[in-house]
Amino acid sequence: MTTSKWTPGTDETGETPIRRAPTRCALGLGSNVGDTKAILDKAIGKLEQTEGITLVLRSSDYRTPPWGPVPQDDYRNCCVVIDTLLSPVELLKRCLEVEAELGRVRDVRWGPRSIDIDVLIYGLEKVVESDLEIPHPRMGDRAFVLIPLAEIWPDAPLGDGRTAADALEICPDRDGVVKLLD
């Protein structure tokens, strides 16, 4: 695993344009405001329509209790596996654009939201930027991420030597996460 600082469209020297092979990534999506199913479907559709992103797999949707100190409704969560030609920073930028297009307002940390899209995994890369840390630093402790991720990519590398399936075996709060059938 490497730590990288990305400059989109350049090589290590920062000067030569390069064309990269697709990178396998995982994204976590959640919503607890409005028509959560429709919002997740729209978000995934917008990501799928993005040049340089190919949807590989989508998990089932799960009802999950809210996480954090702010009282709020349950969430609908899912994960997707994508292949992308975008750099980690470009992928984050696109995720934030989709959130904004779907009405996301960032006013209360860990508060209710129409849509939240987290970059969980970007290949085997380790990225530490001021506004981006990959692999997501807390995903290995959160059942609402691990259950849908392990459903579609059990061998997903969490960056700490464990896979999604490994982490899920010891993850607390699994009982609060319920698979939705609609």
Side-chain angles (χ1 to χ4, degrees):
M1 203 166 1
T2 60
T3 300
S4 60
K5 290 267 187 183
W6 279 81
T7 304
T10 62
D11 67 8
E12 307 79 47
T13 67
E15 297 185 14
T16 306
I18 59 170
R19 182 105 174 128
R20 297 174 19 94
T23 301
R24 177 73 34 109
C25 303
L27 306 176
L29 295 89
S31 174
N32 75 339
V33 174
D35 184 344
T36 58
K37 181 176 180 357
I39 291 169
L40 290 181
D41 290 345
K42 286 179 189 174
I44 293 167
K46 287 178 177 290
L47 290 166
E48 194 173 12
Q49 293 169 4
T50 302
E51 185 175 340
I53 294 177
T54 302
L55 180 67
V56 177
L57 292 167
R58 176 188 176 161
S59 73
S60 302
D61 290 356
Y62 291 83
R63 181 180 49 78
T64 63
W67 190 93
V70 179
Q72 58 191 298
D73 291 336
D74 286 349
Y75 278 82
R76 178 182 288 260
N77 288 97
C78 71
C79 286
V80 295
V81 173
I82 62 169
D83 286 337
T84 188
L85 295 172
L86 303 179
S87 73
V89 172
E90 291 170 326
L91 180 58
L92 174 63
K93 179 181 176 198
R94 181 60 186 138
C95 290
L96 294 173
E97 289 170 353
V98 169
E99 288 181 355
E101 290 168 16
L102 294 175
R104 169 80 188 263
V105 176
R106 293 179 178 272
D107 54 359
V108 177
R109 184 173 179 154
W110 295 311
R113 60 202 70 180
S114 57
I115 184 68
D116 184 43
I117 306 171
D118 289 328
V119 180
L120 303 172
I121 297 169
Y122 188 92
L124 296 176
E125 294 287 327
K126 181 175 182 180
V127 179
V128 179
E129 300 278 346
S130 61
D131 57 351
L132 178 62
E133 190 171 351
I134 302 172
H136 192 287
R138 292 168 297 283
M139 74 175 149
D141 299 321
R142 295 181 173 170
F144 69 87
V145 173
L146 290 174
I147 290 173
L149 181 58
E151 175 189 320
I152 57 174
W153 191 8
D155 294 332
L158 301 190
D160 60 3
R162 299 180 299 165
T163 66
D166 294 337
L168 182 57
E169 287 181 19
I170 61 169
C171 185
D173 302 326
R174 290 177 290 176
D175 293 340
V177 179
V178 177
K179 187 175 189 176
L180 297 170
L181 302 177
D182 62 339

mmCIF file of all heavy atoms in Angstrom, residues 117-147:
data_model
loop_
_atom_site.group_PDB
_atom_site.id
_atom_site.type_symbol
_atom_site.label_atom_id
_atom_site.label_comp_id
_atom_site.label_asym_id
_atom_site.label_seq_id
_atom_site.Cartn_x
_atom_site.Cartn_y
_atom_site.Cartn_z
ATOM 1 N N ILE A 117 -22.266 10.394 0.312
ATOM 2 C CA ILE A 117 -21.494 9.439 -0.487
ATOM 3 C C ILE A 117 -20.059 9.486 0.012
ATOM 4 O O ILE A 117 -19.406 10.529 -0.070
ATOM 5 C CB ILE A 117 -21.541 9.772 -1.995
ATOM 6 C CG1 ILE A 117 -22.985 9.900 -2.484
ATOM 7 C CG2 ILE A 117 -20.777 8.698 -2.776
ATOM 8 C CD1 ILE A 117 -23.112 10.427 -3.907
ATOM 9 N N ASP A 118 -19.588 8.366 0.536
ATOM 10 C CA ASP A 118 -18.223 8.274 1.047
ATOM 11 C C ASP A 118 -17.378 7.388 0.148
ATOM 12 O O ASP A 118 -17.817 6.298 -0.248
ATOM 13 C CB ASP A 118 -18.205 7.666 2.456
ATOM 14 C CG ASP A 118 -18.772 8.593 3.505
ATOM 15 O OD1 ASP A 118 -18.620 9.826 3.363
ATOM 16 O OD2 ASP A 118 -19.358 8.092 4.477
ATOM 17 N N VAL A 119 -16.172 7.846 -0.159
ATOM 18 C CA VAL A 119 -15.199 7.000 -0.842
ATOM 19 C C VAL A 119 -14.577 6.124 0.240
ATOM 20 O O VAL A 119 -13.895 6.623 1.134
ATOM 21 C CB VAL A 119 -14.120 7.836 -1.564
ATOM 22 C CG1 VAL A 119 -13.118 6.914 -2.256
ATOM 23 C CG2 VAL A 119 -14.751 8.798 -2.568
ATOM 24 N N LEU A 120 -14.849 4.837 0.173
ATOM 25 C CA LEU A 120 -14.381 3.903 1.195
ATOM 26 C C LEU A 120 -13.026 3.310 0.849
ATOM 27 O O LEU A 120 -12.128 3.246 1.688
ATOM 28 C CB LEU A 120 -15.391 2.772 1.376
ATOM 29 C CG LEU A 120 -16.819 3.182 1.738
ATOM 30 C CD1 LEU A 120 -17.739 1.958 1.693
ATOM 31 C CD2 LEU A 120 -16.858 3.862 3.094
ATOM 32 N N ILE A 121 -12.904 2.853 -0.383
ATOM 33 C CA ILE A 121 -11.701 2.149 -0.831
ATOM 34 C C ILE A 121 -11.365 2.633 -2.231
ATOM 35 O O ILE A 121 -12.256 2.783 -3.077
ATOM 36 C CB ILE A 121 -11.942 0.621 -0.854
ATOM 37 C CG1 ILE A 121 -12.233 0.099 0.555
ATOM 38 C CG2 ILE A 121 -10.772 -0.125 -1.489
ATOM 39 C CD1 ILE A 121 -12.740 -1.334 0.584
ATOM 40 N N TYR A 122 -10.088 2.841 -2.478
ATOM 41 C CA TYR A 122 -9.590 3.181 -3.816
ATOM 42 C C TYR A 122 -8.429 2.227 -4.110
ATOM 43 O O TYR A 122 -7.286 2.503 -3.786
ATOM 44 C CB TYR A 122 -9.124 4.641 -3.868
ATOM 45 C CG TYR A 122 -8.795 5.096 -5.265
ATOM 46 C CD1 TYR A 122 -9.756 5.699 -6.059
ATOM 47 C CD2 TYR A 122 -7.530 4.892 -5.795
ATOM 48 C CE1 TYR A 122 -9.455 6.098 -7.354
ATOM 49 C CE2 TYR A 122 -7.223 5.284 -7.078
ATOM 50 C CZ TYR A 122 -8.190 5.893 -7.859
ATOM 51 O OH TYR A 122 -7.898 6.289 -9.144
ATOM 52 N N GLY A 123 -8.774 1.067 -4.666
ATOM 53 C CA GLY A 123 -7.766 0.041 -4.926
ATOM 54 C C GLY A 123 -7.029 -0.297 -3.639
ATOM 55 O O GLY A 123 -7.640 -0.455 -2.584
ATOM 56 N N LEU A 124 -5.723 -0.365 -3.733
ATOM 57 C CA LEU A 124 -4.893 -0.604 -2.553
ATOM 58 C C LEU A 124 -4.212 0.676 -2.089
ATOM 59 O O LEU A 124 -3.323 0.642 -1.243
ATOM 60 C CB LEU A 124 -3.831 -1.676 -2.852
ATOM 61 C CG LEU A 124 -4.377 -3.063 -3.165
ATOM 62 C CD1 LEU A 124 -3.243 -4.013 -3.544
ATOM 63 C CD2 LEU A 124 -5.175 -3.613 -1.993
ATOM 64 N N GLU A 125 -4.642 1.787 -2.658
ATOM 65 C CA GLU A 125 -4.028 3.073 -2.345
ATOM 66 C C GLU A 125 -4.379 3.541 -0.939
ATOM 67 O O GLU A 125 -5.481 3.300 -0.448
ATOM 68 C CB GLU A 125 -4.490 4.156 -3.332
ATOM 69 C CG GLU A 125 -4.033 3.931 -4.737
ATOM 70 C CD GLU A 125 -2.559 4.202 -4.932
ATOM 71 O OE1 GLU A 125 -1.999 5.090 -4.263
ATOM 72 O OE2 GLU A 125 -1.967 3.516 -5.781
ATOM 73 N N LYS A 126 -3.422 4.213 -0.343
ATOM 74 C CA LYS A 126 -3.667 4.936 0.895
ATOM 75 C C LYS A 126 -3.484 6.404 0.548
ATOM 76 O O LYS A 126 -2.433 6.806 0.046
ATOM 77 C CB LYS A 126 -2.688 4.517 1.991
ATOM 78 C CG LYS A 126 -2.953 5.236 3.293
ATOM 79 C CD LYS A 126 -2.069 4.736 4.409
ATOM 80 C CE LYS A 126 -2.450 5.474 5.683
ATOM 81 N NZ LYS A 126 -1.630 5.041 6.817
ATOM 82 N N VAL A 127 -4.523 7.191 0.778
ATOM 83 C CA VAL A 127 -4.497 8.606 0.441
ATOM 84 C C VAL A 127 -4.782 9.404 1.707
ATOM 85 O O VAL A 127 -5.758 9.133 2.411
ATOM 86 C CB VAL A 127 -5.560 8.945 -0.639
ATOM 87 C CG1 VAL A 127 -5.541 10.426 -0.969
ATOM 88 C CG2 VAL A 127 -5.353 8.092 -1.883
ATOM 89 N N VAL A 128 -3.938 10.354 1.997
ATOM 90 C CA VAL A 128 -4.146 11.236 3.138
ATOM 91 C C VAL A 128 -4.028 12.669 2.627
ATOM 92 O O VAL A 128 -2.931 13.144 2.311
ATOM 93 C CB VAL A 128 -3.121 10.972 4.263
ATOM 94 C CG1 VAL A 128 -3.366 11.924 5.422
ATOM 95 C CG2 VAL A 128 -3.195 9.529 4.729
ATOM 96 N N GLU A 129 -5.166 13.303 2.493
ATOM 97 C CA GLU A 129 -5.258 14.698 2.064
ATOM 98 C C GLU A 129 -6.020 15.437 3.151
ATOM 99 O O GLU A 129 -6.624 14.819 4.033
ATOM 100 C CB GLU A 129 -6.021 14.799 0.733
ATOM 101 C CG GLU A 129 -5.392 14.046 -0.403
ATOM 102 C CD GLU A 129 -4.268 14.800 -1.090
ATOM 103 O OE1 GLU A 129 -4.127 16.018 -0.874
ATOM 104 O OE2 GLU A 129 -3.529 14.162 -1.843
ATOM 105 N N SER A 130 -6.065 16.740 3.072
ATOM 106 C CA SER A 130 -6.763 17.519 4.098
ATOM 107 C C SER A 130 -8.255 17.186 4.149
ATOM 108 O O SER A 130 -8.861 17.206 5.208
ATOM 109 C CB SER A 130 -6.562 19.016 3.870
ATOM 110 O OG SER A 130 -7.082 19.389 2.608
ATOM 111 N N ASP A 131 -8.851 16.848 3.001
ATOM 112 C CA ASP A 131 -10.290 16.571 2.960
ATOM 113 C C ASP A 131 -10.620 15.159 2.472
ATOM 114 O O ASP A 131 -11.756 14.876 2.121
ATOM 115 C CB ASP A 131 -10.997 17.604 2.092
ATOM 116 C CG ASP A 131 -10.444 17.656 0.669
ATOM 117 O OD1 ASP A 131 -9.400 17.019 0.399
ATOM 118 O OD2 ASP A 131 -11.045 18.334 -0.170
ATOM 119 N N LEU A 132 -9.621 14.273 2.456
ATOM 120 C CA LEU A 132 -9.846 12.924 1.954
ATOM 121 C C LEU A 132 -8.867 11.963 2.608
ATOM 122 O O LEU A 132 -7.657 12.181 2.572
ATOM 123 C CB LEU A 132 -9.651 12.895 0.430
ATOM 124 C CG LEU A 132 -9.794 11.545 -0.262
ATOM 125 C CD1 LEU A 132 -11.196 10.978 -0.091
ATOM 126 C CD2 LEU A 132 -9.456 11.685 -1.745
ATOM 127 N N GLU A 133 -9.429 10.900 3.209
ATOM 128 C CA GLU A 133 -8.597 9.841 3.768
ATOM 129 C C GLU A 133 -9.131 8.503 3.278
ATOM 130 O O GLU A 133 -10.301 8.170 3.507
ATOM 131 C CB GLU A 133 -8.591 9.887 5.301
ATOM 132 C CG GLU A 133 -7.558 8.979 5.904
ATOM 133 C CD GLU A 133 -7.380 9.167 7.400
ATOM 134 O OE1 GLU A 133 -7.936 10.132 7.969
ATOM 135 O OE2 GLU A 133 -6.687 8.329 8.003
ATOM 136 N N ILE A 134 -8.286 7.781 2.559
ATOM 137 C CA ILE A 134 -8.649 6.485 1.996
ATOM 138 C C ILE A 134 -7.557 5.492 2.364
ATOM 139 O O ILE A 134 -6.379 5.825 2.225
ATOM 140 C CB ILE A 134 -8.769 6.556 0.457
ATOM 141 C CG1 ILE A 134 -9.801 7.594 0.025
ATOM 142 C CG2 ILE A 134 -9.125 5.196 -0.113
ATOM 143 C CD1 ILE A 134 -9.811 7.843 -1.480
ATOM 144 N N PRO A 135 -7.928 4.287 2.795
ATOM 145 C CA PRO A 135 -9.271 3.795 3.048
ATOM 146 C C PRO A 135 -9.968 4.623 4.138
ATOM 147 O O PRO A 135 -9.317 5.218 4.989
ATOM 148 C CB PRO A 135 -9.061 2.363 3.511
ATOM 149 C CG PRO A 135 -7.667 1.995 3.120
ATOM 150 C CD PRO A 135 -6.905 3.268 3.046
ATOM 151 N N HIS A 136 -11.298 4.623 4.065
ATOM 152 C CA HIS A 136 -12.069 5.380 5.056
ATOM 153 C C HIS A 136 -11.660 4.908 6.441
ATOM 154 O O HIS A 136 -11.710 3.713 6.732
ATOM 155 C CB HIS A 136 -13.563 5.168 4.835
ATOM 156 C CG HIS A 136 -14.423 6.117 5.595
ATOM 157 N ND1 HIS A 136 -14.588 6.020 6.957
ATOM 158 C CD2 HIS A 136 -15.134 7.188 5.190
ATOM 159 C CE1 HIS A 136 -15.390 6.987 7.359
ATOM 160 N NE2 HIS A 136 -15.725 7.717 6.311
ATOM 161 N N PRO A 137 -11.255 5.815 7.318
ATOM 162 C CA PRO A 137 -10.637 5.410 8.581
ATOM 163 C C PRO A 137 -11.550 4.710 9.584
ATOM 164 O O PRO A 137 -11.060 4.018 10.475
ATOM 165 C CB PRO A 137 -10.117 6.726 9.161
ATOM 166 C CG PRO A 137 -10.934 7.786 8.513
ATOM 167 C CD PRO A 137 -11.289 7.264 7.147
ATOM 168 N N ARG A 138 -12.855 4.839 9.462
ATOM 169 C CA ARG A 138 -13.748 4.242 10.459
ATOM 170 C C ARG A 138 -14.671 3.157 9.898
ATOM 171 O O ARG A 138 -15.495 2.623 10.612
ATOM 172 C CB ARG A 138 -14.570 5.347 11.131
ATOM 173 C CG ARG A 138 -13.703 6.272 11.992
ATOM 174 C CD ARG A 138 -14.415 7.520 12.437
ATOM 175 N NE ARG A 138 -14.831 8.400 11.352
ATOM 176 C CZ ARG A 138 -14.024 9.228 10.675
ATOM 177 N NH1 ARG A 138 -12.745 9.286 10.961
ATOM 178 N NH2 ARG A 138 -14.494 9.993 9.712
ATOM 179 N N MET A 139 -14.509 2.804 8.636
ATOM 180 C CA MET A 139 -15.444 1.842 8.041
ATOM 181 C C MET A 139 -15.355 0.461 8.684
ATOM 182 O O MET A 139 -16.342 -0.252 8.746
ATOM 183 C CB MET A 139 -15.253 1.746 6.534
ATOM 184 C CG MET A 139 -14.036 1.010 6.095
ATOM 185 S SD MET A 139 -14.014 0.836 4.315
ATOM 186 C CE MET A 139 -12.252 0.851 4.065
ATOM 187 N N GLY A 140 -14.187 0.077 9.188
ATOM 188 C CA GLY A 140 -14.014 -1.247 9.768
ATOM 189 C C GLY A 140 -14.732 -1.454 11.084
ATOM 190 O O GLY A 140 -14.789 -2.573 11.591
ATOM 191 N N ASP A 141 -15.311 -0.374 11.628
ATOM 192 C CA ASP A 141 -16.041 -0.461 12.896
ATOM 193 C C ASP A 141 -17.530 -0.173 12.742
ATOM 194 O O ASP A 141 -18.230 -0.072 13.744
ATOM 195 C CB ASP A 141 -15.455 0.547 13.902
ATOM 196 C CG ASP A 141 -13.993 0.274 14.193
ATOM 197 O OD1 ASP A 141 -13.624 -0.912 14.292
ATOM 198 O OD2 ASP A 141 -13.226 1.245 14.301
ATOM 199 N N ARG A 142 -17.990 -0.010 11.533
ATOM 200 C CA ARG A 142 -19.371 0.414 11.312
ATOM 201 C C ARG A 142 -20.153 -0.636 10.532
ATOM 202 O O ARG A 142 -19.926 -0.843 9.335
ATOM 203 C CB ARG A 142 -19.396 1.755 10.576
ATOM 204 C CG ARG A 142 -18.793 2.856 11.438
ATOM 205 C CD ARG A 142 -18.814 4.176 10.759
ATOM 206 N NE ARG A 142 -18.378 5.222 11.678
ATOM 207 C CZ ARG A 142 -18.115 6.453 11.308
ATOM 208 N NH1 ARG A 142 -18.243 6.807 10.040
ATOM 209 N NH2 ARG A 142 -17.735 7.347 12.192
ATOM 210 N N ALA A 143 -21.078 -1.255 11.222
ATOM 211 C CA ALA A 143 -21.881 -2.318 10.594
ATOM 212 C C ALA A 143 -22.658 -1.807 9.400
ATOM 213 O O ALA A 143 -22.847 -2.529 8.423
ATOM 214 C CB ALA A 143 -22.825 -2.932 11.628
ATOM 215 N N PHE A 144 -23.102 -0.541 9.442
ATOM 216 C CA PHE A 144 -23.897 -0.015 8.324
ATOM 217 C C PHE A 144 -23.076 0.111 7.042
ATOM 218 O O PHE A 144 -23.634 0.201 5.955
ATOM 219 C CB PHE A 144 -24.572 1.318 8.683
ATOM 220 C CG PHE A 144 -23.649 2.496 8.843
ATOM 221 C CD1 PHE A 144 -23.280 3.264 7.749
ATOM 222 C CD2 PHE A 144 -23.178 2.861 10.094
ATOM 223 C CE1 PHE A 144 -22.450 4.368 7.897
ATOM 224 C CE2 PHE A 144 -22.352 3.959 10.259
ATOM 225 C CZ PHE A 144 -21.980 4.712 9.145
ATOM 226 N N VAL A 145 -21.756 0.070 7.158
ATOM 227 C CA VAL A 145 -20.881 0.036 5.983
ATOM 228 C C VAL A 145 -20.481 -1.409 5.675
ATOM 229 O O VAL A 145 -20.553 -1.854 4.526
ATOM 230 C CB VAL A 145 -19.613 0.891 6.213
ATOM 231 C CG1 VAL A 145 -18.624 0.709 5.066
ATOM 232 C CG2 VAL A 145 -19.963 2.350 6.401
ATOM 233 N N LEU A 146 -20.059 -2.136 6.696
ATOM 234 C CA LEU A 146 -19.506 -3.474 6.472
ATOM 235 C C LEU A 146 -20.528 -4.477 5.951
ATOM 236 O O LEU A 146 -20.185 -5.326 5.125
ATOM 237 C CB LEU A 146 -18.883 -3.997 7.764
ATOM 238 C CG LEU A 146 -17.608 -3.290 8.202
ATOM 239 C CD1 LEU A 146 -17.174 -3.793 9.578
ATOM 240 C CD2 LEU A 146 -16.491 -3.479 7.182
ATOM 241 N N ILE A 147 -21.763 -4.409 6.414
ATOM 242 C CA ILE A 147 -22.750 -5.397 5.968
ATOM 243 C C ILE A 147 -23.019 -5.276 4.468
ATOM 244 O O ILE A 147 -22.898 -6.267 3.737
ATOM 245 C CB ILE A 147 -24.036 -5.325 6.822
ATOM 246 C CG1 ILE A 147 -23.725 -5.850 8.232
ATOM 247 C CG2 ILE A 147 -25.178 -6.120 6.175
ATOM 248 C CD1 ILE A 147 -24.848 -5.679 9.233
#
